PDB file of all heavy atoms in Angstrom:
ATOM      1  N   ASP A1052       0.819  -1.211   0.000  1.00  0.00           N
ATOM      2  CA  ASP A1052       0.000   0.000   0.000  1.00  0.00           C
ATOM      3  C   ASP A1052       0.855   1.263   0.000  1.00  0.00           C
ATOM      4  O   ASP A1052       0.436   2.292  -0.533  1.00  0.00           O
ATOM      5  CB  ASP A1052      -0.924   0.014   1.224  1.00  0.00           C
ATOM      6  CG  ASP A1052      -2.077  -0.957   1.075  1.00  0.00           C
ATOM      7  OD1 ASP A1052      -2.489  -1.210  -0.075  1.00  0.00           O
ATOM      8  OD2 ASP A1052      -2.569  -1.461   2.100  1.00  0.00           O
ATOM      9  N   TYR A1053       2.027   1.197   0.602  1.00  0.00           N
ATOM     10  CA  TYR A1053       2.952   2.328   0.568  1.00  0.00           C
ATOM     11  C   TYR A1053       3.586   2.455  -0.813  1.00  0.00           C
ATOM     12  O   TYR A1053       3.642   3.544  -1.388  1.00  0.00           O
ATOM     13  CB  TYR A1053       4.021   2.148   1.640  1.00  0.00           C
ATOM     14  CG  TYR A1053       5.106   3.205   1.623  1.00  0.00           C
ATOM     15  CD1 TYR A1053       4.928   4.414   2.282  1.00  0.00           C
ATOM     16  CD2 TYR A1053       6.304   2.987   0.945  1.00  0.00           C
ATOM     17  CE1 TYR A1053       5.923   5.393   2.261  1.00  0.00           C
ATOM     18  CE2 TYR A1053       7.294   3.957   0.918  1.00  0.00           C
ATOM     19  CZ  TYR A1053       7.096   5.150   1.585  1.00  0.00           C
ATOM     20  OH  TYR A1053       8.086   6.114   1.548  1.00  0.00           O
ATOM     21  N   ARG A1054       4.057   1.343  -1.351  1.00  0.00           N
ATOM     22  CA  ARG A1054       4.756   1.382  -2.635  1.00  0.00           C
ATOM     23  C   ARG A1054       3.852   1.852  -3.777  1.00  0.00           C
ATOM     24  O   ARG A1054       4.323   2.505  -4.714  1.00  0.00           O
ATOM     25  CB  ARG A1054       5.343   0.015  -2.988  1.00  0.00           C
ATOM     26  CG  ARG A1054       6.487  -0.434  -2.097  1.00  0.00           C
ATOM     27  CD  ARG A1054       7.243  -1.594  -2.747  1.00  0.00           C
ATOM     28  NE  ARG A1054       6.368  -2.672  -3.171  1.00  0.00           N
ATOM     29  CZ  ARG A1054       5.972  -3.671  -2.398  1.00  0.00           C
ATOM     30  NH1 ARG A1054       6.378  -3.725  -1.132  1.00  0.00           N
ATOM     31  NH2 ARG A1054       5.179  -4.621  -2.863  1.00  0.00           N
ATOM     32  N   ARG A1055       2.557   1.544  -3.694  1.00  0.00           N
ATOM     33  CA  ARG A1055       1.676   1.932  -4.798  1.00  0.00           C
ATOM     34  C   ARG A1055       1.458   3.438  -4.822  1.00  0.00           C
ATOM     35  O   ARG A1055       1.007   4.002  -5.822  1.00  0.00           O
ATOM     36  CB  ARG A1055       0.347   1.191  -4.733  1.00  0.00           C
ATOM     37  CG  ARG A1055      -0.530   1.559  -3.558  1.00  0.00           C
ATOM     38  CD  ARG A1055      -1.860   0.825  -3.611  1.00  0.00           C
ATOM     39  NE  ARG A1055      -2.640   1.035  -2.398  1.00  0.00           N
ATOM     40  CZ  ARG A1055      -3.334   2.131  -2.137  1.00  0.00           C
ATOM     41  NH1 ARG A1055      -3.370   3.106  -3.009  1.00  0.00           N
ATOM     42  NH2 ARG A1055      -4.000   2.249  -1.007  1.00  0.00           N
ATOM     43  N   ASN A1056       1.731   4.127  -3.724  1.00  0.00           N
ATOM     44  CA  ASN A1056       1.901   5.579  -3.737  1.00  0.00           C
ATOM     45  C   ASN A1056       0.632   6.340  -4.090  1.00  0.00           C
ATOM     46  O   ASN A1056       0.649   7.282  -4.891  1.00  0.00           O
ATOM     47  CB  ASN A1056       3.038   5.945  -4.707  1.00  0.00           C
ATOM     48  CG  ASN A1056       3.531   7.364  -4.525  1.00  0.00           C
ATOM     49  OD1 ASN A1056       3.329   7.977  -3.493  1.00  0.00           O
ATOM     50  ND2 ASN A1056       4.171   7.891  -5.559  1.00  0.00           N
ATOM     51  N   GLY A1057      -0.472   5.945  -3.485  1.00  0.00           N
ATOM     52  CA  GLY A1057      -1.679   6.752  -3.633  1.00  0.00           C
ATOM     53  C   GLY A1057      -1.599   8.006  -2.773  1.00  0.00           C
ATOM     54  O   GLY A1057      -0.630   8.206  -2.032  1.00  0.00           O
ATOM     55  N   PRO A1058      -2.585   8.881  -2.841  1.00  0.00           N
ATOM     56  CA  PRO A1058      -2.590  10.073  -1.998  1.00  0.00           C
ATOM     57  C   PRO A1058      -2.581   9.763  -0.500  1.00  0.00           C
ATOM     58  O   PRO A1058      -2.289  10.639   0.311  1.00  0.00           O
ATOM     59  CB  PRO A1058      -3.886  10.787  -2.409  1.00  0.00           C
ATOM     60  CG  PRO A1058      -4.165  10.304  -3.793  1.00  0.00           C
ATOM     61  CD  PRO A1058      -3.700   8.871  -3.807  1.00  0.00           C
ATOM     62  N   ASP A1059      -2.901   8.510  -0.150  1.00  0.00           N
ATOM     63  CA  ASP A1059      -2.896   8.089   1.251  1.00  0.00           C
ATOM     64  C   ASP A1059      -1.575   7.450   1.667  1.00  0.00           C
ATOM     65  O   ASP A1059      -1.486   6.829   2.730  1.00  0.00           O
ATOM     66  CB  ASP A1059      -4.037   7.109   1.518  1.00  0.00           C
ATOM     67  CG  ASP A1059      -3.987   5.868   0.624  1.00  0.00           C
ATOM     68  OD1 ASP A1059      -3.161   5.836  -0.321  1.00  0.00           O
ATOM     69  OD2 ASP A1059      -4.779   4.932   0.862  1.00  0.00           O
ATOM     70  N   ARG A1060      -0.520   7.606   0.852  1.00  0.00           N
ATOM     71  CA  ARG A1060       0.773   6.969   1.163  1.00  0.00           C
ATOM     72  C   ARG A1060       1.250   7.293   2.575  1.00  0.00           C
ATOM     73  O   ARG A1060       1.766   6.431   3.288  1.00  0.00           O
ATOM     74  CB  ARG A1060       1.828   7.426   0.154  1.00  0.00           C
ATOM     75  CG  ARG A1060       3.213   6.802   0.362  1.00  0.00           C
ATOM     76  CD  ARG A1060       4.293   7.562  -0.378  1.00  0.00           C
ATOM     77  NE  ARG A1060       4.455   8.901   0.154  1.00  0.00           N
ATOM     78  CZ  ARG A1060       4.237  10.026  -0.530  1.00  0.00           C
ATOM     79  NH1 ARG A1060       3.866   9.964  -1.791  1.00  0.00           N
ATOM     80  NH2 ARG A1060       4.381  11.210   0.039  1.00  0.00           N
ATOM     81  N   CYS A1061       1.098   8.539   3.004  1.00  0.00           N
ATOM     82  CA  CYS A1061       1.616   8.942   4.317  1.00  0.00           C
ATOM     83  C   CYS A1061       0.956   8.176   5.458  1.00  0.00           C
ATOM     84  O   CYS A1061       1.563   7.999   6.512  1.00  0.00           O
ATOM     85  CB  CYS A1061       1.441  10.439   4.526  1.00  0.00           C
ATOM     86  SG  CYS A1061       2.548  11.443   3.512  1.00  0.00           S
ATOM     87  N   PHE A1062      -0.287   7.730   5.233  1.00  0.00           N
ATOM     88  CA  PHE A1062      -0.932   6.926   6.278  1.00  0.00           C
ATOM     89  C   PHE A1062      -0.113   5.680   6.546  1.00  0.00           C
ATOM     90  O   PHE A1062       0.147   5.320   7.703  1.00  0.00           O
ATOM     91  CB  PHE A1062      -2.352   6.533   5.860  1.00  0.00           C
ATOM     92  CG  PHE A1062      -2.993   5.559   6.825  1.00  0.00           C
ATOM     93  CD1 PHE A1062      -3.701   6.015   7.913  1.00  0.00           C
ATOM     94  CD2 PHE A1062      -2.854   4.183   6.653  1.00  0.00           C
ATOM     95  CE1 PHE A1062      -4.268   5.125   8.831  1.00  0.00           C
ATOM     96  CE2 PHE A1062      -3.416   3.292   7.549  1.00  0.00           C
ATOM     97  CZ  PHE A1062      -4.126   3.766   8.640  1.00  0.00           C
ATOM     98  N   PHE A1063       0.314   4.995   5.496  1.00  0.00           N
ATOM     99  CA  PHE A1063       1.013   3.718   5.663  1.00  0.00           C
ATOM    100  C   PHE A1063       2.430   3.933   6.208  1.00  0.00           C
ATOM    101  O   PHE A1063       2.948   3.082   6.938  1.00  0.00           O
ATOM    102  CB  PHE A1063       1.024   2.967   4.346  1.00  0.00           C
ATOM    103  CG  PHE A1063      -0.366   2.705   3.829  1.00  0.00           C
ATOM    104  CD1 PHE A1063      -0.878   3.452   2.782  1.00  0.00           C
ATOM    105  CD2 PHE A1063      -1.179   1.760   4.432  1.00  0.00           C
ATOM    106  CE1 PHE A1063      -2.167   3.248   2.329  1.00  0.00           C
ATOM    107  CE2 PHE A1063      -2.476   1.545   3.994  1.00  0.00           C
ATOM    108  CZ  PHE A1063      -2.978   2.291   2.939  1.00  0.00           C
ATOM    109  N   CYS A1064       3.028   5.060   5.879  1.00  0.00           N
ATOM    110  CA  CYS A1064       4.341   5.387   6.442  1.00  0.00           C
ATOM    111  C   CYS A1064       4.239   5.628   7.939  1.00  0.00           C
ATOM    112  O   CYS A1064       4.992   5.055   8.730  1.00  0.00           O
ATOM    113  CB  CYS A1064       4.898   6.621   5.729  1.00  0.00           C
ATOM    114  SG  CYS A1064       6.552   7.093   6.285  1.00  0.00           S
ATOM    115  N   LYS A1065       3.286   6.466   8.335  1.00  0.00           N
ATOM    116  CA  LYS A1065       3.111   6.752   9.763  1.00  0.00           C
ATOM    117  C   LYS A1065       2.621   5.517  10.508  1.00  0.00           C
ATOM    118  O   LYS A1065       3.014   5.271  11.657  1.00  0.00           O
ATOM    119  CB  LYS A1065       2.120   7.906   9.953  1.00  0.00           C
ATOM    120  CG  LYS A1065       2.688   9.275   9.634  1.00  0.00           C
ATOM    121  CD  LYS A1065       3.708   9.708  10.667  1.00  0.00           C
ATOM    122  CE  LYS A1065       4.077  11.178  10.536  1.00  0.00           C
ATOM    123  NZ  LYS A1065       4.800  11.489   9.298  1.00  0.00           N
ATOM    124  N   ASP A1066       1.765   4.729   9.863  1.00  0.00           N
ATOM    125  CA  ASP A1066       1.280   3.508  10.506  1.00  0.00           C
ATOM    126  C   ASP A1066       2.439   2.564  10.789  1.00  0.00           C
ATOM    127  O   ASP A1066       2.491   1.920  11.848  1.00  0.00           O
ATOM    128  CB  ASP A1066       0.238   2.829   9.618  1.00  0.00           C
ATOM    129  CG  ASP A1066      -0.375   1.615  10.283  1.00  0.00           C
ATOM    130  OD1 ASP A1066      -1.047   1.778  11.321  1.00  0.00           O
ATOM    131  OD2 ASP A1066      -0.177   0.497   9.779  1.00  0.00           O
ATOM    132  N   GLU A1067       3.389   2.473   9.859  1.00  0.00           N
ATOM    133  CA  GLU A1067       4.574   1.645  10.070  1.00  0.00           C
ATOM    134  C   GLU A1067       5.387   2.169  11.252  1.00  0.00           C
ATOM    135  O   GLU A1067       5.789   1.407  12.136  1.00  0.00           O
ATOM    136  CB  GLU A1067       5.426   1.625   8.800  1.00  0.00           C
ATOM    137  CG  GLU A1067       6.798   0.984   8.960  1.00  0.00           C
ATOM    138  CD  GLU A1067       6.763  -0.517   9.143  1.00  0.00           C
ATOM    139  OE1 GLU A1067       5.699  -1.136   8.919  1.00  0.00           O
ATOM    140  OE2 GLU A1067       7.818  -1.092   9.511  1.00  0.00           O
ATOM    141  N   LEU A1068       5.643   3.480  11.271  1.00  0.00           N
ATOM    142  CA  LEU A1068       6.437   4.059  12.351  1.00  0.00           C
ATOM    143  C   LEU A1068       5.768   3.837  13.702  1.00  0.00           C
ATOM    144  O   LEU A1068       6.410   3.366  14.658  1.00  0.00           O
ATOM    145  CB  LEU A1068       6.630   5.560  12.110  1.00  0.00           C
ATOM    146  CG  LEU A1068       7.295   6.336  13.251  1.00  0.00           C
ATOM    147  CD1 LEU A1068       8.713   5.842  13.498  1.00  0.00           C
ATOM    148  CD2 LEU A1068       7.291   7.831  12.954  1.00  0.00           C
ATOM    149  N   PHE A1069       4.485   4.150  13.785  1.00  0.00           N
ATOM    150  CA  PHE A1069       3.802   4.018  15.075  1.00  0.00           C
ATOM    151  C   PHE A1069       3.638   2.559  15.483  1.00  0.00           C
ATOM    152  O   PHE A1069       3.639   2.246  16.679  1.00  0.00           O
ATOM    153  CB  PHE A1069       2.449   4.734  15.031  1.00  0.00           C
ATOM    154  CG  PHE A1069       2.546   6.221  14.805  1.00  0.00           C
ATOM    155  CD1 PHE A1069       1.611   6.891  14.043  1.00  0.00           C
ATOM    156  CD2 PHE A1069       3.589   6.958  15.357  1.00  0.00           C
ATOM    157  CE1 PHE A1069       1.689   8.257  13.831  1.00  0.00           C
ATOM    158  CE2 PHE A1069       3.690   8.325  15.156  1.00  0.00           C
ATOM    159  CZ  PHE A1069       2.736   8.980  14.384  1.00  0.00           C
ATOM    160  N   SER A1070       3.532   1.654  14.500  1.00  0.00           N
ATOM    161  CA  SER A1070       3.473   0.231  14.824  1.00  0.00           C
ATOM    162  C   SER A1070       4.797  -0.246  15.411  1.00  0.00           C
ATOM    163  O   SER A1070       4.828  -0.996  16.395  1.00  0.00           O
ATOM    164  CB  SER A1070       3.132  -0.589  13.577  1.00  0.00           C
ATOM    165  OG  SER A1070       1.831  -0.317  13.113  1.00  0.00           O
ATOM    166  N   VAL A1071       5.912   0.180  14.817  1.00  0.00           N
ATOM    167  CA  VAL A1071       7.227  -0.199  15.339  1.00  0.00           C
ATOM    168  C   VAL A1071       7.411   0.339  16.750  1.00  0.00           C
ATOM    169  O   VAL A1071       7.889  -0.371  17.653  1.00  0.00           O
ATOM    170  CB  VAL A1071       8.339   0.318  14.405  1.00  0.00           C
ATOM    171  CG1 VAL A1071       9.703   0.171  15.064  1.00  0.00           C
ATOM    172  CG2 VAL A1071       8.313  -0.444  13.083  1.00  0.00           C
ATOM    173  N   ILE A1072       7.023   1.596  16.956  1.00  0.00           N
ATOM    174  CA  ILE A1072       7.164   2.184  18.292  1.00  0.00           C
ATOM    175  C   ILE A1072       6.326   1.410  19.299  1.00  0.00           C
ATOM    176  O   ILE A1072       6.788   1.069  20.402  1.00  0.00           O
ATOM    177  CB  ILE A1072       6.756   3.667  18.266  1.00  0.00           C
ATOM    178  CG1 ILE A1072       7.782   4.480  17.454  1.00  0.00           C
ATOM    179  CG2 ILE A1072       6.651   4.220  19.689  1.00  0.00           C
ATOM    180  CD1 ILE A1072       7.390   5.927  17.239  1.00  0.00           C
ATOM    181  N   THR A1073       5.084   1.112  18.916  1.00  0.00           N
ATOM    182  CA  THR A1073       4.196   0.401  19.834  1.00  0.00           C
ATOM    183  C   THR A1073       4.710  -1.006  20.119  1.00  0.00           C
ATOM    184  O   THR A1073       4.724  -1.460  21.275  1.00  0.00           O
ATOM    185  CB  THR A1073       2.777   0.324  19.238  1.00  0.00           C
ATOM    186  OG1 THR A1073       2.280   1.633  19.026  1.00  0.00           O
ATOM    187  CG2 THR A1073       1.840  -0.419  20.176  1.00  0.00           C
ATOM    188  N   ASP A1074       5.158  -1.707  19.082  1.00  0.00           N
ATOM    189  CA  ASP A1074       5.571  -3.104  19.238  1.00  0.00           C
ATOM    190  C   ASP A1074       6.916  -3.242  19.955  1.00  0.00           C
ATOM    191  O   ASP A1074       7.129  -4.189  20.713  1.00  0.00           O
ATOM    192  CB  ASP A1074       5.654  -3.789  17.870  1.00  0.00           C
ATOM    193  CG  ASP A1074       4.300  -3.925  17.207  1.00  0.00           C
ATOM    194  OD1 ASP A1074       3.286  -3.755  17.902  1.00  0.00           O
ATOM    195  OD2 ASP A1074       4.264  -4.184  15.984  1.00  0.00           O
ATOM    196  N   GLU A1075       7.838  -2.308  19.687  1.00  0.00           N
ATOM    197  CA  GLU A1075       9.208  -2.487  20.160  1.00  0.00           C
ATOM    198  C   GLU A1075       9.589  -1.611  21.356  1.00  0.00           C
ATOM    199  O   GLU A1075      10.475  -1.976  22.122  1.00  0.00           O
ATOM    200  CB  GLU A1075      10.200  -2.208  19.014  1.00  0.00           C
ATOM    201  CG  GLU A1075      10.083  -3.155  17.843  1.00  0.00           C
ATOM    202  CD  GLU A1075      11.131  -2.895  16.777  1.00  0.00           C
ATOM    203  OE1 GLU A1075      12.074  -2.107  17.041  1.00  0.00           O
ATOM    204  OE2 GLU A1075      11.019  -3.476  15.685  1.00  0.00           O
ATOM    205  N   LEU A1076       8.949  -0.467  21.499  1.00  0.00           N
ATOM    206  CA  LEU A1076       9.493   0.512  22.439  1.00  0.00           C
ATOM    207  C   LEU A1076       8.619   0.844  23.634  1.00  0.00           C
ATOM    208  O   LEU A1076       9.148   1.156  24.699  1.00  0.00           O
ATOM    209  CB  LEU A1076       9.798   1.826  21.693  1.00  0.00           C
ATOM    210  CG  LEU A1076      10.815   1.738  20.558  1.00  0.00           C
ATOM    211  CD1 LEU A1076      11.053   3.129  19.986  1.00  0.00           C
ATOM    212  CD2 LEU A1076      12.119   1.144  21.046  1.00  0.00           C
ATOM    213  N   VAL A1077       7.317   0.841  23.463  1.00  0.00           N
ATOM    214  CA  VAL A1077       6.456   1.311  24.550  1.00  0.00           C
ATOM    215  C   VAL A1077       6.718   0.534  25.834  1.00  0.00           C
ATOM    216  O   VAL A1077       6.972   1.107  26.895  1.00  0.00           O
ATOM    217  CB  VAL A1077       4.971   1.239  24.144  1.00  0.00           C
ATOM    218  CG1 VAL A1077       4.075   1.446  25.360  1.00  0.00           C
ATOM    219  CG2 VAL A1077       4.670   2.301  23.091  1.00  0.00           C
ATOM    220  N   ALA A1078       6.686  -0.790  25.739  1.00  0.00           N
ATOM    221  CA  ALA A1078       6.938  -1.596  26.938  1.00  0.00           C
ATOM    222  C   ALA A1078       8.414  -1.578  27.320  1.00  0.00           C
ATOM    223  O   ALA A1078       8.765  -1.401  28.495  1.00  0.00           O
ATOM    224  CB  ALA A1078       6.463  -3.027  26.710  1.00  0.00           C
ATOM    225  N   ALA A1079       9.300  -1.745  26.339  1.00  0.00           N
ATOM    226  CA  ALA A1079      10.735  -1.838  26.632  1.00  0.00           C
ATOM    227  C   ALA A1079      11.275  -0.555  27.257  1.00  0.00           C
ATOM    228  O   ALA A1079      12.158  -0.592  28.121  1.00  0.00           O
ATOM    229  CB  ALA A1079      11.505  -2.151  25.350  1.00  0.00           C
ATOM    230  N   GLN A1080      10.745   0.592  26.835  1.00  0.00           N
ATOM    231  CA  GLN A1080      11.228   1.882  27.342  1.00  0.00           C
ATOM    232  C   GLN A1080      10.319   2.460  28.425  1.00  0.00           C
ATOM    233  O   GLN A1080      10.582   3.557  28.925  1.00  0.00           O
ATOM    234  CB  GLN A1080      11.343   2.889  26.185  1.00  0.00           C
ATOM    235  CG  GLN A1080      12.351   2.487  25.120  1.00  0.00           C
ATOM    236  CD  GLN A1080      13.778   2.530  25.631  1.00  0.00           C
ATOM    237  OE1 GLN A1080      14.116   3.309  26.524  1.00  0.00           O
ATOM    238  NE2 GLN A1080      14.637   1.682  25.069  1.00  0.00           N
ATOM    239  N   GLY A1081       9.274   1.751  28.759  1.00  0.00           N
ATOM    240  CA  GLY A1081       8.381   2.220  29.812  1.00  0.00           C
ATOM    241  C   GLY A1081       7.654   3.501  29.452  1.00  0.00           C
ATOM    242  O   GLY A1081       7.427   4.369  30.310  1.00  0.00           O
ATOM    243  N   LEU A1082       7.242   3.630  28.192  1.00  0.00           N
ATOM    244  CA  LEU A1082       6.561   4.846  27.745  1.00  0.00           C
ATOM    245  C   LEU A1082       5.084   4.800  28.123  1.00  0.00           C
ATOM    246  O   LEU A1082       4.419   3.782  27.950  1.00  0.00           O
ATOM    247  CB  LEU A1082       6.699   5.000  26.233  1.00  0.00           C
ATOM    248  CG  LEU A1082       8.126   5.049  25.666  1.00  0.00           C
ATOM    249  CD1 LEU A1082       8.079   5.156  24.145  1.00  0.00           C
ATOM    250  CD2 LEU A1082       8.906   6.210  26.266  1.00  0.00           C
ATOM    251  N   ASP A1083       4.601   5.923  28.606  1.00  0.00           N
ATOM    252  CA  ASP A1083       3.169   6.053  28.880  1.00  0.00           C
ATOM    253  C   ASP A1083       2.397   6.550  27.679  1.00  0.00           C
ATOM    254  O   ASP A1083       1.180   6.330  27.566  1.00  0.00           O
ATOM    255  CB  ASP A1083       2.933   7.020  30.047  1.00  0.00           C
ATOM    256  CG  ASP A1083       3.574   6.543  31.326  1.00  0.00           C
ATOM    257  OD1 ASP A1083       3.244   5.436  31.771  1.00  0.00           O
ATOM    258  OD2 ASP A1083       4.416   7.277  31.878  1.00  0.00           O
ATOM    259  N   ALA A1084       3.079   7.255  26.790  1.00  0.00           N
ATOM    260  CA  ALA A1084       2.420   7.821  25.618  1.00  0.00           C
ATOM    261  C   ALA A1084       3.468   8.139  24.570  1.00  0.00           C
ATOM    262  O   ALA A1084       4.660   8.224  24.855  1.00  0.00           O
ATOM    263  CB  ALA A1084       1.643   9.087  25.994  1.00  0.00           C
ATOM    264  N   VAL A1085       2.984   8.307  23.346  1.00  0.00           N
ATOM    265  CA  VAL A1085       3.817   8.731  22.218  1.00  0.00           C
ATOM    266  C   VAL A1085       3.161   9.968  21.620  1.00  0.00           C
ATOM    267  O   VAL A1085       1.926  10.059  21.545  1.00  0.00           O
ATOM    268  CB  VAL A1085       3.931   7.617  21.155  1.00  0.00           C
ATOM    269  CG1 VAL A1085       4.725   8.095  19.938  1.00  0.00           C
ATOM    270  CG2 VAL A1085       4.563   6.371  21.761  1.00  0.00           C
ATOM    271  N   ALA A1086       3.976  10.928  21.197  1.00  0.00           N
ATOM    272  CA  ALA A1086       3.457  12.159  20.594  1.00  0.00           C
ATOM    273  C   ALA A1086       4.175  12.430  19.283  1.00  0.00           C
ATOM    274  O   ALA A1086       5.305  11.989  19.069  1.00  0.00           O
ATOM    275  CB  ALA A1086       3.647  13.345  21.554  1.00  0.00           C
ATOM    276  N   TYR A1087       3.502  13.170  18.396  1.00  0.00           N
ATOM    277  CA  TYR A1087       4.167  13.598  17.164  1.00  0.00           C
ATOM    278  C   TYR A1087       3.830  15.058  16.891  1.00  0.00           C
ATOM    279  O   TYR A1087       2.952  15.653  17.535  1.00  0.00           O
ATOM    280  CB  TYR A1087       3.827  12.677  16.003  1.00  0.00           C
ATOM    281  CG  TYR A1087       2.558  12.978  15.220  1.00  0.00           C
ATOM    282  CD1 TYR A1087       2.603  13.173  13.842  1.00  0.00           C
ATOM    283  CD2 TYR A1087       1.313  13.055  15.850  1.00  0.00           C
ATOM    284  CE1 TYR A1087       1.445  13.428  13.119  1.00  0.00           C
ATOM    285  CE2 TYR A1087       0.161  13.301  15.130  1.00  0.00           C
ATOM    286  CZ  TYR A1087       0.231  13.492  13.762  1.00  0.00           C
ATOM    287  OH  TYR A1087      -0.915  13.743  13.052  1.00  0.00           O
ATOM    288  N   GLY A1088       4.533  15.657  15.908  1.00  0.00           N
ATOM    289  CA  GLY A1088       4.544  17.101  15.775  1.00  0.00           C
ATOM    290  C   GLY A1088       3.493  17.717  14.888  1.00  0.00           C
ATOM    291  O   GLY A1088       3.788  18.703  14.203  1.00  0.00           O
ATOM    292  N   GLU A1089       2.276  17.214  14.880  1.00  0.00           N
ATOM    293  CA  GLU A1089       1.211  17.899  14.147  1.00  0.00           C
ATOM    294  C   GLU A1089       0.930  19.247  14.800  1.00  0.00           C
ATOM    295  O   GLU A1089       0.762  19.328  16.022  1.00  0.00           O
ATOM    296  CB  GLU A1089      -0.056  17.055  14.132  1.00  0.00           C
ATOM    297  CG  GLU A1089      -1.234  17.726  13.419  1.00  0.00           C
ATOM    298  CD  GLU A1089      -2.494  16.884  13.471  1.00  0.00           C
ATOM    299  OE1 GLU A1089      -2.556  15.878  12.731  1.00  0.00           O
ATOM    300  OE2 GLU A1089      -3.404  17.224  14.249  1.00  0.00           O
ATOM    301  N   ASN A1090       0.891  20.315  14.007  1.00  0.00           N
ATOM    302  CA  ASN A1090       0.546  21.625  14.554  1.00  0.00           C
ATOM    303  C   ASN A1090      -0.890  21.990  14.194  1.00  0.00           C
ATOM    304  O   ASN A1090      -1.581  21.242  13.481  1.00  0.00           O
ATOM    305  CB  ASN A1090       1.546  22.690  14.091  1.00  0.00           C
ATOM    306  CG  ASN A1090       1.532  22.892  12.586  1.00  0.00           C
ATOM    307  OD1 ASN A1090       0.497  23.164  11.989  1.00  0.00           O
ATOM    308  ND2 ASN A1090       2.706  22.767  11.959  1.00  0.00           N
ATOM    309  N   ALA A1091      -1.353  23.136  14.665  1.00  0.00           N
ATOM    310  CA  ALA A1091      -2.760  23.499  14.480  1.00  0.00           C
ATOM    311  C   ALA A1091      -3.109  23.745  13.022  1.00  0.00           C
ATOM    312  O   ALA A1091      -4.255  23.524  12.608  1.00  0.00           O
ATOM    313  CB  ALA A1091      -3.089  24.726  15.325  1.00  0.00           C
ATOM    314  N   ASP A1092      -2.147  24.203  12.210  1.00  0.00           N
ATOM    315  CA  ASP A1092      -2.401  24.357  10.781  1.00  0.00           C
ATOM    316  C   ASP A1092      -2.544  22.997  10.111  1.00  0.00           C
ATOM    317  O   ASP A1092      -3.431  22.789   9.277  1.00  0.00           O
ATOM    318  CB  ASP A1092      -1.258  25.136  10.110  1.00  0.00           C
ATOM    319  CG  ASP A1092      -1.294  26.620  10.434  1.00  0.00           C
ATOM    320  OD1 ASP A1092      -2.385  27.135  10.747  1.00  0.00           O
ATOM    321  OD2 ASP A1092      -0.224  27.255  10.390  1.00  0.00           O
ATOM    322  N   ASP A1093      -1.666  22.058  10.471  1.00  0.00           N
ATOM    323  CA  ASP A1093      -1.734  20.711   9.905  1.00  0.00           C
ATOM    324  C   ASP A1093      -3.100  20.076  10.162  1.00  0.00           C
ATOM    325  O   ASP A1093      -3.635  19.362   9.307  1.00  0.00           O
ATOM    326  CB  ASP A1093      -0.663  19.805  10.516  1.00  0.00           C
ATOM    327  CG  ASP A1093       0.751  20.225  10.171  1.00  0.00           C
ATOM    328  OD1 ASP A1093       0.937  20.900   9.143  1.00  0.00           O
ATOM    329  OD2 ASP A1093       1.666  19.872  10.940  1.00  0.00           O
ATOM    330  N   ALA A1094      -3.632  20.313  11.353  1.00  0.00           N
ATOM    331  CA  ALA A1094      -4.889  19.672  11.743  1.00  0.00           C
ATOM    332  C   ALA A1094      -6.049  20.079  10.838  1.00  0.00           C
ATOM    333  O   ALA A1094      -7.055  19.362  10.756  1.00  0.00           O
ATOM    334  CB  ALA A1094      -5.212  20.009  13.195  1.00  0.00           C
TER     335      ALA A1094
END
């Protein structure tokens, strides 16, 4: 879905990143939450 490069490509990129963080880091690093840099204009 990422390689086919539709207008929704960024969803699959971010989904991959957040999946890796959730699967590998949240428990191992004792994270209570994850945040990213969306600003009010982006929203």
Side-chain angles (χ1 to χ4, degrees):
D1052 286 331
Y1053 175 85
R1054 292 196 309 273
R1055 67 177 173 78
N1056 195 20
D1059 57 351
R1060 181 196 65 243
C1061 289
F1062 173 89
F1063 301 104
C1064 182
K1065 285 290 192 293
D1066 184 64
E1067 171 71 12
L1068 173 63
F1069 297 144
S1070 294
V1071 169
I1072 291 174
T1073 300
D1074 294 345
E1075 297 183 11
L1076 299 183
V1077 168
Q1080 297 292 331
L1082 302 178
D1083 299 302
V1085 176
Y1087 86 124
E1089 178 182 285
N1090 63 55
D1092 286 335
D1093 294 336

